[in-house]
Amino acid sequence: MNFTSIFFFKKCLSYVSVQGPCFLQALECLVRLASVRRSLFVEDPARSQFLSHLMSGTREILQTGQGLADHGNYHEFCRLLGRFKVNYQLSELLNVEFYGEWLGLVAEFTTKSLLSWQWASNSVYYLLSLWSRLVTSVPYLKGDTPSLLDETVPKITEGFITSRINSVQASFADNSPDPDNPLENAESLQDQLESLPYLCRFKYESCSLFIINIMEPLLQAYTARSRLPASGDAAELSVIEGQIAWMVHIIAAILKIRQTVGCSQDSQELFDAELAARVLQLINITDTGVHAQRYQEISKQRLDRAILIFVQNFRRSYVGDQAMHASKLYARLSELLGLTDHLVLLNVIVGKIATNLKCYAECEDVIDHTLSLFQELASGYMTGKLLLKLESTKFIIANHSRENFPFLEEYRCVRSRTNFYYILGCLVFMEDGPVKFRSFMEPLLQVAVNLEASADAAFRTDVVKYAFTGLMRDLRGIAMATNSRRTYGLLFDWLYPSRMPLLLRAISLLTDEPEVTTPLLKFMSEFVLNKAQRLTFDSSSPNGILLFREISKLIVAYGSRILLLPNGTNIYRSKYKGIWISLTVLSRALCGNYVNFGVFELYGDRALADALDISLKMTLSIPLSDILTFKKLSKAYYGYMEVLFNNHITINSVLNLDTSTFVHIVTSLESGLKGLDTGISTQ
């Protein structure tokens, strides 16, 4: 391995001495050489010598700074430094005689990089990753040799926080907001904050005090602005909100990871409480005074997204099952804000959720973040039960109309409706009782009754179409929440038979309107899915057969009309999407094990035969090349074929089809076997 060590050392020297485009290539070689495995070294002295050459070379680069003015070289050098703690233990670094000098140079380089946030934002990740790995190794360090991290890490942590605050001020001062602003780019933000919690918790007491000293003046300024007229300096207010948003993201990242390095569990909880209290205090400020009128402004949206992420991380650590292990935290929160336990805190969280759903009518991003948090709360068994005790939750369940939650009327948030009603459905179904369910469904019932009273010509108007599609999305969310025979029965009884004619009427009148038929078919696809054996009717009940008859009517009505329509410019949207969802609906109904299909032939009912006939015609209308091109269409087609040939080959007389049709089907099966999708080839 001596040859490799010499070669590596020469590479370092060549980097320092070579000019021009070889800089970057030399650095790339160094990164790869720094990643060699321990097993390549025959003995430990050779590995130590190798590490010494590596640190010596990087020390020389740090001292001279040669080549680092180029952005590509700079980024690659940061990657090189990040490799140190990946392959080497902290104890091995300490054994190098010039470790202290090297660490000081890396710390100085990191600090300068943090200050150059506009230029080095994508490179800082590797530097922070190095420092986080160093501090997490301290508890495992043996011997008396000082690591020198106690002096360097707090400065780097404070430098990072300060640089993020200054970046907000600088971007507005230059009047040139960065389109890649991390506050709007979740991936970039995650990269920057991934390693920070380990650095903060290394010297948590001093770090938390530093954060509080920054947060307090910002909160005071933000509170004061809430009492001023809305016509104040908008730019200054946006800067304050941007700075607070960064601080909230930093606190959220810290609370996401509970690691004790150098402090006890009780001390950690107290510091967590101090930081969390500032953000919980902020929740009240954001929704009062002039701030309550600024929900459409970008800076306010950034701040509320940061608050939601904080709440999500804080809840995972200290609300619910974890609350019993956080007595010190709640004792301190009680002193600071009067939040005596996790139930009171949960009420604050749900209150913020309700406020966002009321006020953010046009910001899909904030609505989605809010619903994601709400869903996480409702999905937990313990937190779900606790939610039902809160007045704020009861208000949402009892008043889920578009008058109270305007985002339900906003077209850009239309996809959020399904998730919203899925969450409400989960909460409603946690408690037994058809009376509560019928009360919850009353607003949807009123919408359905109004649609049923509309004339056929009115179905072509935007108002009616939007109301119907909204109803389908809402019902789909509720259907997703039914996970038992009891809950599914409540929805089935509400829908059948009184509401089914509305669905048939809509799909017959608006077959050429995919924005209407797609939500309808997707609702039916969910409604007929027998997950968790929820579609288990009594042995004497005809409900399974009746449900399939309704499915047959819908599929026949849609298929017979869609085949007659001309191909549009976007044939997938106008035809193929509806066809593959129809095939999914029929496939799920055919293999759901809740219908005795022999009954249809016995009594001369053509529901099954007509459904299979029209579905086969729809599949034959699509060229094989298109079936193989569109992934979702292909998956639905082969899934349907599997069910068809497995259970209904004689009923549909597939073997008696004409030669061209039979060859088309067999050819498509051959293409499926040859395809790269293992799911399809298995079918």
Side-chain angles (χ1 to χ4, degrees):
M1 200 60 217
N2 290 335
F3 171 76
T4 306
S5 301
I6 296 171
F7 175 73
F8 180 85
F9 184 63
K10 288 182 177 179
K11 273 293 180 183
C12 288
L13 293 178
S14 68
Y15 169 76
V16 177
S17 59
V18 169
Q19 300 293 330
C22 292
F23 272 78
L24 184 58
Q25 285 77 7
L27 276 174
E28 290 174 351
C29 292
L30 292 176
V31 172
R32 286 165 174 78
L33 286 168
S35 305
V36 296
R37 296 184 178 182
R38 181 184 293 270
S39 58
L40 293 178
F41 296 89
V42 179
E43 51 190 15
D44 289 340
R47 177 175 168 82
S48 301
Q49 186 181 13
F50 186 82
L51 175 60
S52 179
H53 284 317
L54 175 62
M55 293 178 65
S56 175
T58 52
R59 178 185 61 173
E60 188 172 348
I61 296 171
L62 289 167
Q63 288 172 337
T64 62
Q66 186 174 359
L68 297 183
D70 179 81
H71 190 274
N73 295 343
Y74 190 95
H75 181 74
E76 202 65 27
F77 184 68
C78 291
R79 288 188 61 210
L80 174 59
L81 291 177
R83 299 306 302 174
F84 272 88
K85 191 55 189 69
V86 175
N87 279 4
Y88 296 94
Q89 300 297 326
L90 178 57
S91 58
E92 293 177 300
L93 299 177
L94 284 171
N95 289 332
V96 178
E97 58 180 353
F98 51 87
Y99 164 79
E101 181 186 2
W102 178 85
L103 189 74
L105 290 170
V106 175
E108 183 182 356
F109 178 76
T110 303
T111 303
K112 291 180 179 178
S113 299
L114 293 173
L115 294 176
S116 305
W117 55 271
Q118 289 176 309
W119 192 70
S121 58
N122 294 328
S123 307
V124 167
Y125 166 79
Y126 299 101
L127 299 176
L128 295 179
S129 178
L130 167 65
W131 289 104
S132 68
R133 289 190 176 101
L134 289 173
V135 298
T136 52
S137 300
V138 170
Y140 310 102
L141 191 63
K142 298 178 180 179
D144 299 328
T145 305
S147 65
L148 305 180
L149 296 175
D150 292 354
E151 297 81 17
T152 54
V153 170
K155 295 179 181 178
I156 291 171
T157 306
E158 294 175 6
F160 176 85
I161 297 172
T162 303
S163 67
R164 300 309 99 178
I165 295 296
N166 294 339
S167 69
V168 178
Q169 183 71 50
S171 63
F172 279 93
D174 297 338
N175 198 24
S176 56
D178 186 359
D180 297 324
N181 191 329
L183 294 177
E184 298 179 11
N185 188 326
E187 185 176 352
S188 174
L189 187 65
Q190 172 66 20
D191 287 343
Q192 293 198 24
L193 297 179
E194 182 178 355
S195 302
L196 184 66
Y198 303 100
L199 303 181
C200 292
R201 290 190 181 275
F202 182 63
K203 292 293 179 181
Y204 198 18
E205 182 175 3
S206 61
C207 180
S208 60
L209 183 60
F210 180 79
I211 293 174
I212 291 171
N213 289 337
I214 294 177
M215 277 291 286
E216 285 292 347
L218 290 174
L219 289 176
Q220 292 174 8
Y222 198 55
T223 304
R225 289 303 302 262
S226 67
R227 304 189 184 101
L228 298 177
S231 58
D233 188 349
E236 180 186 353
L237 185 55
S238 296
V239 170
I240 295 175
E241 286 179 328
Q243 292 174 335
I244 296 177
W246 262 115
M247 297 306 301
V248 173
H249 276 299
I250 290 170
I251 294 174
I254 295 172
L255 296 182
K256 184 178 181 179
I257 298 174
R258 298 178 65 180
Q259 178 183 353
T260 54
V261 178
C263 68
S264 64
Q265 178 70 27
D266 290 346
S267 299
Q268 181 179 227
E269 286 186 13
L270 291 176
F271 299 143
D272 286 352
E274 293 286 347
L275 296 181
R278 271 65 188 182
V279 185
L280 294 172
Q281 179 186 352
L282 174 65
I283 293 177
N284 292 327
I285 304 173
T286 57
D287 302 324
T288 56
V290 68
H291 303 315
Q293 308 168 23
R294 302 178 53 254
Y295 288 99
Q296 306 308 319
E297 297 187 20
I298 293 177
S299 59
K300 180 68 161 60
Q301 295 170 11
R302 291 174 182 166
L303 178 56
D304 274 323
R305 281 197 298 266
I307 292 174
L308 290 170
I309 293 174
F310 158 79
V311 171
Q312 205 163 26
N313 293 346
F314 185 57
R315 187 211 70 80
R316 290 170 181 170
S317 298
Y318 288 112
V319 179
D321 297 334
Q322 299 82 3
M324 63 184 69
H325 306 297
S327 57
K328 295 291 184 180
L329 178 132
Y330 281 102
R332 185 57 180 154
L333 285 180
S334 178
E335 297 173 2
L336 294 172
L337 300 176
L339 302 176
T340 54
D341 56 35
H342 63 287
L343 188 60
V344 179
L345 178 60
L346 197 60
N347 194 52
V348 174
I349 294 173
V350 178
K352 180 58 179 174
I353 290 173
T355 300
N356 283 1
L357 295 178
K358 286 180 186 177
C359 300
Y360 280 105
E362 300 179 4
C363 185
E364 182 182 6
D365 191 32
V366 175
I367 290 293
D368 286 345
H369 273 78
T370 303
L371 291 177
S372 176
L373 172 61
F374 198 14
Q375 182 177 345
E376 189 174 297
L377 292 171
S379 299
Y381 178 78
M382 182 174 180
T383 53
K385 290 290 186 181
L386 292 175
L387 285 180
L388 294 175
K389 299 179 180 180
L390 305 178
E391 292 300 323
S392 50
T393 307
K394 294 177 181 178
F395 173 83
I396 296 175
I397 294 176
N399 300 276
H400 53 90
S401 63
R402 52 185 55 87
E403 289 76 20
N404 292 298
F405 301 105
F407 82 93
L408 296 173
E409 282 279 20
E410 184 59 38
Y411 181 77
R412 72 188 70 182
C413 297
V414 68
R415 296 181 182 274
S416 302
R417 297 181 65 147
T418 300
N419 195 25
F420 178 62
Y421 275 94
Y422 167 71
I423 298 166
L424 296 186
C426 289
L427 293 172
V428 170
F429 291 140
M430 280 185 183
E431 296 183 349
D432 294 328
V435 175
K436 184 174 182 178
F437 175 75
R438 286 196 294 269
S439 175
F440 168 71
M441 295 295 288
E442 189 61 34
L444 302 185
L445 177 62
Q446 189 59 49
V447 174
V449 170
N450 292 338
L451 288 170
E452 291 166 351
S454 301
D456 289 352
F459 268 74
R460 286 282 174 184
T461 62
D462 291 340
V463 174
V464 173
K465 285 192 294 185
Y466 186 81
F468 181 81
T469 56
L471 178 63
M472 292 299 100
R473 292 180 184 277
D474 300 345
L475 290 176
R476 182 186 173 201
I478 297 172
M480 290 166 60
T482 61
N483 287 315
S484 67
R485 178 181 175 182
R486 175 187 63 83
T487 57
Y488 184 86
L490 294 174
L491 181 59
F492 182 88
D493 293 339
W494 184 89
L495 191 67
Y496 182 87
S498 53
R499 307 279 81 84
M500 295 305 295
L502 174 63
L503 275 60
L504 182 61
R505 183 182 174 200
I507 207 167
S508 301
L509 295 174
L510 300 171
T511 307
D512 59 336
E513 299 282 355
E515 66 270 19
V516 176
T517 57
T518 297
L520 192 162
L521 292 170
K522 283 192 173 183
F523 161 63
M524 289 306 300
S525 178
E526 175 62 36
F527 190 61
V528 302
L529 178 61
N530 191 13
K531 62 180 181 182
Q533 295 300 306
R534 62 181 183 177
L535 272 76
T536 305
F537 300 107
D538 293 333
S539 57
S540 59
S541 173
N543 285 346
I545 297 171
L546 296 174
L547 175 59
F548 187 84
R549 291 185 66 188
E550 296 299 331
I551 296 168
S552 176
K553 292 178 186 177
L554 288 171
I555 298 298
V556 170
Y558 178 76
S560 60
R561 289 169 174 79
I562 199 69
L563 292 175
L564 300 177
L565 296 178
N567 296 335
T569 54
N570 187 346
I571 191 171
Y572 177 81
R573 179 178 179 274
S574 61
K575 279 193 173 184
Y576 292 169
K577 188 172 184 179
I579 289 175
W580 76 253
I581 301 175
S582 299
L583 295 178
T584 302
V585 172
L586 192 55
S587 298
R588 290 179 172 182
L590 291 174
C591 64
N593 295 324
Y594 51 84
V595 183
N596 183 355
F597 292 103
V599 171
F600 295 105
E601 185 177 7
L602 178 64
Y603 290 99
D605 191 329
R606 289 196 53 82
L608 175 61
D610 289 345
L612 294 176
D613 180 62
I614 196 65
S615 60
L616 193 58
K617 288 180 179 178
M618 285 192 288
T619 61
L620 295 174
S621 70
I622 306 174
L624 180 57
S625 58
D626 287 352
I627 291 177
L628 299 175
T629 299
F630 297 104
K631 187 175 181 179
K632 291 183 178 180
L633 175 61
S634 180
K635 182 179 179 181
Y637 171 80
Y638 287 108
Y640 167 74
M641 284 296 168
E642 182 185 23
V643 173
L644 180 66
F645 284 96
N646 190 38
N647 300 322
H648 303 283
I649 190 168
T650 55
I651 296 177
N652 198 39
S653 301
V654 173
L655 297 178
N656 296 325
L657 294 172
D658 62 88
T659 303
S660 61
T661 301
F662 186 76
V663 169
H664 173 85
I665 292 175
V666 175
T667 303
S668 70
L669 298 179
E670 180 190 17
S671 300
L673 284 171
K674 292 179 179 179
L676 299 177
D677 191 326
T678 55
I680 290 176
S681 60
T682 302
Q683 289 177 320

